[in-house]
Amino acid sequence: MIVNTNKCLHCGGCVGCCPKNAIFLCDTILTFNDDCNRCGRCIRLCPVGAISMEGKQ
């Protein structure tokens, strides 16, 4: 997963929507751990389109 740090509002919505608890908001940086199954929920939920799937920007 790729996060556009210029767009990200750090709202944390993606963290709460992840069914695998694979997204972490550390200060102002979003990180994804190996539990991410690329379901795309965070992409659909992001109000500013800051998250994309690797290779599908």
Side-chain angles (χ1 to χ4, degrees):
M1 302 304 274
I2 299 170
V3 179
N4 182 330
T5 55
N6 293 323
K7 286 184 176 182
C8 181
L9 299 175
H10 312 105
C11 67
C14 57
V15 176
C17 83
C18 182
K20 294 288 192 173
N21 296 317
I23 308 172
F24 300 90
L25 181 58
C26 304
D27 293 322
T28 59
I29 299 171
L30 275 180
T31 59
F32 295 78
N33 69 19
D34 291 338
D35 292 336
C36 175
N37 65 359
R38 298 169 55 104
C39 70
R41 284 186 188 186
C42 57
I43 295 170
R44 292 187 298 276
L45 181 84
C46 183
V48 294
I51 305 170
S52 61
M53 222 174 270
E54 191 170 2
K56 295 187 178 186
Q57 295 180 8

